[in-house]
């Protein structure tokens, strides 16, 4: 029986403001708040909310049969918290159905996996913590930014405890193989790999509303018929895309949501099920290791990382940013950490690309790749100065790490001593309370004894009084 794994990415670009050379050292705020609020509000209204409402309706109509997965970048969630909290509320409503899985990914939606393993691990852990906080379950499947993957990245994912990872079913990696099987990491056999079906995914996310496409118009029954026609042994069909494809890349007027809504009924008629990534990792065995010595992604025809690191400007910006990765992680300053997350986001480097692409690229405020590079490097110059100002830049990373470790250990010792002082103070308070209770008890006992003696004396006096009266009467007689 075939099964469809339907997955959507939710990430929001953090727009940087125009930042001049003369702003370095004087202005430490780098963001275009107006554009950030405008863009995410627009996407939420025209894509996220209509799409999520449709997916929720599909779950209610189909029960446990229909399932779907999401991954949300941490910086995207922050923007939703600020400007479109209704999207997070709807995602929590979807989560309550039990038919939705949330995946792990780098918090920043950045490229740390290509530069610094420690930063990558911290980035993923931060996002996993946030997902757990919101949805009550820790992710077990990892999806790297833009499906970036290599053997080394897979090995690190396995060492981080993940059971599976999503990546691209690129032809130059698969060769004659099909993406419709479960594979495993060549360096970590326990990490299962789910490969995106490029054609089926792009038919929806890129071509659905293209009137010049030879398969236009695409209907749900035709789409499912294509899946059903695959050989019997090809059982896992992975359809991955951005959620904004439903409403932005493919406008609502194209009836894209009607197409999505019809998929479960058509699939059920062909005896095709839906599964989440963790279910596939649990229920399907790997057929073979997948060797990926060179990094791949889901972007552009090359399916590599050249859209972010393909020219000297991009590589210079990338190298300069990650040259301070260890210092940022060691320093762990809250404001620095926030800017670090936003400056890592992969779109900052994508704006600098000089590659032609079949997918339109909106550079926002930038007129050219060089303009994007100049603005980013001005901001990065100020950011690096702030990082170095936290601690003298003549202290190398090892010295800084040792210094901060010593400070942390001293802080831990102080915490232990404070807890011991608090424990002793509590013990003293309890002893004082016990002593007070004993005093009150002794006082009560003393009062009881005094009262008893008084009653005894009174009784003796009363006993003597009648005898005295009798003697008095006898004497008078």
């Amino acid at each position: 029986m075939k099964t469809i794994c339907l997955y959507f990415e939710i990430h929001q670009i953090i727009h940087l403001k125009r930042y001049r050379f003369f702003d370095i050292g004087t202005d430490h705020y780098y963001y275009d708040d107006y554009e950030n609020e405008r863009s995410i509000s627009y996407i939420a209204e025209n894509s996220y909310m209509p799409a999520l409402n449709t997916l929720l309706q599909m779950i209610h109509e189909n029960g446990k049969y229909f399932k779907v997965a999401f991954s949300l970048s941490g910086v995207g969630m922050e923007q939703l918290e600020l400007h479109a909290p209704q999207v997070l509320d709807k995602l929590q409503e979807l989560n309550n159905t039990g038919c939705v899985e949330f995946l792990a990914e780098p918090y920043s939606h950045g490229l740390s996996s290509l530069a610094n393993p420690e930063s990558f691990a911290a980035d993923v852990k931060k996002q996993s913590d946030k997902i757990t906080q919101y949805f009550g379950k820790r992710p077990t499947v990892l999806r790297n930014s833009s499906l970036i993957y290599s053997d080394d990245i897979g090995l690190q994912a396995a060492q981080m405890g993940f059971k599976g990872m999503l990546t691209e079913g690129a032809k130059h990696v698969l060769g004659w193989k099909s993406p419709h099987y479960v594979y495993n990491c060549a360096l970590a056999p326990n990490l299962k790999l789910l490969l995106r079906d490029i054609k089926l995914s792009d038919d929806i996310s890129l071509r659905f509303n293209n009137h010049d496409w030879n398969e236009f118009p695409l209907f749900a029954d035709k789409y499912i018929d294509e899946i059903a026609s695959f050989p019997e042994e090809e059982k896992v069909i992975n359809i991955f895309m951005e959620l904004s494809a439903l409403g932005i890349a493919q406008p609502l007027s194209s009836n894209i949501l009607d197409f999505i809504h019809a998929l479960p009924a058509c699939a059920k008629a062909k005896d095709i099920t839906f599964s989440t990534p963790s279910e596939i990792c649990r229920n399907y065995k790997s057929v073979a290791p997948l060797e990926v010595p060179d990094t791949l992604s889901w972007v552009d025809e090359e399916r590599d990382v050249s859209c972010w690191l393909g020219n000297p400007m991009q590589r210079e910006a990338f190298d300069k940013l990650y040259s301070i990765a260890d210092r940022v992680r060691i320093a762990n300053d809250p404001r620095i950490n926030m800017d670090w997350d936003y400056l890592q986001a992969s779109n900052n480097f994508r704006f600098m690309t000089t590659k032609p692409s079949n997918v339109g690229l909106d550079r926002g405020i930038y007129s050219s790749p060089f303009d994007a590079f100049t603005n980013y490097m001005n901001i990065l110059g100020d950011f690096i100065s702030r990082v170095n100002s936290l601690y003298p830049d003549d202290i190398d990373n090892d010295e800084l790490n040792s210094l901060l470790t010593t400070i942390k250990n001293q802080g831990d010792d102080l915490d232990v001593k404070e807890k011991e002082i608090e424990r002793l103070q509590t013990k003293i308070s309890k002893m004082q309370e016990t002593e007070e209770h004993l005093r009150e008890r002794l006082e009560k006992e003393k009062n009881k004894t005094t009262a008893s003696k008084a009653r005894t004396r009174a009784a003796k006096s009363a006993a003597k009084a009648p005898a005295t009266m009798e003697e008095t009467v006898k004497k008078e007689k």
Side-chain angles (χ1 to χ4, degrees):
M1 180 182 293
K2 290 179 170 55
T3 192
I4 295 173
C5 179
L6 184 61
Y7 152 84
F8 295 100
E9 168 203 295
I10 298 177
H11 167 63
Q12 179 61 26
I13 290 176
I14 306 299
H15 296 275
L16 302 178
K17 69 181 181 181
R18 180 64 66 179
Y19 194 91
R20 310 291 181 183
F21 175 80
F22 298 103
D23 294 325
I24 298 174
T26 61
D27 183 1
H28 303 318
Y29 191 78
Y30 312 134
Y31 313 108
D32 186 339
D33 290 334
Y34 172 81
E35 181 58 24
N36 284 325
E37 181 176 2
R38 186 207 64 79
S39 61
I40 196 167
S41 298
Y42 177 81
I43 294 173
E45 180 180 354
N46 293 279
S47 171
Y48 291 167
M49 289 305 293
L52 293 176
N53 282 324
T54 297
L55 294 169
L56 183 61
Q57 181 183 358
M58 293 162 67
I59 292 174
H60 289 327
E61 291 175 353
N62 295 278
K64 299 295 182 181
Y65 168 76
F66 177 72
K67 297 175 183 178
V68 65
F70 299 94
S71 73
L72 292 77
S73 69
V75 295
M77 293 179 73
E78 288 183 8
Q79 291 299 298
L80 290 172
E81 289 171 338
L82 287 172
H83 306 303
Q86 70 273 20
V87 175
L88 291 172
D89 292 340
K90 186 60 64 175
L91 286 167
Q92 288 176 321
E93 190 176 349
L94 278 158
N95 180 58
N96 293 336
T97 66
C99 297
V100 175
E101 179 176 3
F102 292 92
L103 309 184
E105 72 161 71
Y107 191 95
S108 65
H109 197 78
L111 307 175
S112 55
S113 61
L114 304 177
N116 191 293
E118 291 79 10
S119 293
F120 177 56
D123 214 6
V124 172
K125 180 182 182 301
K126 184 176 180 180
Q127 187 265 1
S128 295
D129 291 343
K130 196 172 185 72
I131 291 293
T132 305
Q133 174 190 348
Y134 262 92
F135 304 111
K137 188 174 181 181
R138 196 163 193 85
T140 60
V141 176
L142 173 64
R143 179 260 184 202
N144 199 4
S145 308
S146 300
L147 297 187
I148 290 173
Y149 178 81
S150 69
D151 292 336
D152 291 333
I153 293 172
L155 176 60
Q156 185 175 0
Q159 292 170 342
M160 291 162 62
F162 290 103
K163 304 301 181 185
M165 192 166 178
L166 275 54
T167 189
E168 181 78 334
K171 293 180 180 179
H172 70 275
V173 172
L174 283 171
W176 56 268
K177 299 175 184 177
S178 167
H180 304 147
Y181 296 92
V182 175
Y183 296 89
N184 64 267
C185 174
L187 301 181
N190 291 332
L191 182 77
K192 293 183 177 178
L193 301 177
L194 278 62
L195 308 185
R196 175 179 179 260
D197 185 303
I198 297 174
K199 179 187 180 301
L200 291 175
S201 301
D202 289 352
D203 281 352
I204 299 175
S205 62
L206 298 182
R207 292 183 282 268
F208 184 82
N209 193 44
N210 183 359
H211 291 242
D212 296 327
W213 178 35
N214 61 359
E215 295 186 37
F216 180 88
L218 180 62
F219 294 103
D221 55 352
K222 178 183 176 183
Y223 188 80
I224 294 297
D225 284 345
E226 182 176 355
I227 294 174
S229 69
F230 294 145
E232 177 62 27
E233 59 273 14
E234 297 185 11
K235 297 185 180 300
V236 179
I237 316 300
N238 299 309
I239 302 171
F240 305 158
M241 68 193 77
E242 298 177 3
L243 185 62
S244 60
L246 311 182
I248 302 299
Q250 307 305 318
L252 297 179
S253 60
S254 69
N255 297 318
I256 183 68
L257 295 183
D258 292 331
F259 170 84
I260 294 293
H261 181 265
L263 289 177
C266 296
K268 189 178 293 186
K270 294 292 183 178
D271 203 26
I272 299 173
T273 64
F274 288 82
S275 299
T276 62
S278 62
E279 288 178 334
I280 292 175
C281 291
R282 185 169 59 249
N283 297 331
Y284 290 83
K285 294 182 179 180
S286 168
V287 296
L290 188 71
E291 295 186 1
V292 189
D294 299 319
T295 309
L296 62 86
S297 77
W298 72 356
V299 179
D300 292 345
E301 291 297 323
E302 295 84 358
R303 311 291 172 181
D304 58 12
V305 297
S306 58
C307 68
W308 303 291
L309 302 175
N311 64 47
M313 291 185 298
Q314 291 170 309
R315 291 192 292 274
E316 180 180 350
F318 178 83
D319 291 341
K320 191 168 184 180
L321 174 68
Y322 283 101
S323 69
I324 58 169
D326 292 330
R327 293 182 70 83
V328 171
R329 190 182 68 259
I330 293 167
N332 197 28
D333 178 81
R335 178 62 190 274
I336 291 293
N337 289 344
M338 184 195 78
D339 292 334
W340 172 249
D341 289 335
Y342 294 165
L343 293 178
Q344 281 191 91
S346 62
N347 55 275
N348 293 313
F349 303 95
R350 184 77 188 275
F351 291 149
M352 304 174 198
T353 187
T354 52
K355 282 180 57 180
S357 175
N358 293 331
V359 180
L361 175 62
D362 180 4
R363 299 185 196 271
I365 64 171
Y366 306 124
S367 59
S368 67
F370 181 76
D371 185 28
F373 170 75
T374 302
N375 199 70
Y376 184 81
M377 293 302 284
N378 285 341
I379 291 173
L380 189 55
D382 182 78
F383 178 71
I384 291 175
S385 296
R386 289 168 54 210
V387 172
N388 289 334
S389 70
L390 290 175
Y391 302 96
D393 55 9
D394 57 351
I395 299 178
D396 62 29
N397 290 335
D398 290 338
E399 289 179 298
L400 179 58
N401 194 20
S402 176
L403 174 63
L404 292 180
T405 299
T406 300
I407 294 173
K408 180 180 183 301
N409 290 338
Q410 290 174 343
D412 291 342
D413 289 340
L414 288 173
D415 288 341
V416 170
K417 290 178 181 178
E418 288 176 358
K419 289 179 180 178
E420 181 63 17
I421 291 172
E422 184 179 348
R423 186 185 68 82
L424 291 173
Q425 288 176 337
T426 302
K427 187 174 181 180
I428 291 171
S429 297
K430 289 182 177 180
M431 291 174 66
Q432 289 175 339
E433 289 178 4
T434 302
E435 182 181 3
E436 186 65 27
H437 288 321
L438 287 173
R439 285 178 179 174
E440 291 177 358
R441 185 174 177 182
L442 288 173
E443 187 65 28
K444 288 179 180 179
E445 291 294 332
K446 182 178 178 181
N447 292 338
K448 286 181 180 179
T449 302
T450 302
S452 177
K453 288 181 179 179
R455 286 195 298 271
T456 301
R457 286 195 298 268
K460 288 181 178 180
S461 299
K464 289 180 179 180
T468 303
M469 290 179 66
E470 289 178 1
E471 290 176 358
T472 304
V473 171
K474 286 180 180 180
K475 288 180 179 179
E476 290 178 353
K477 287 182 178 181

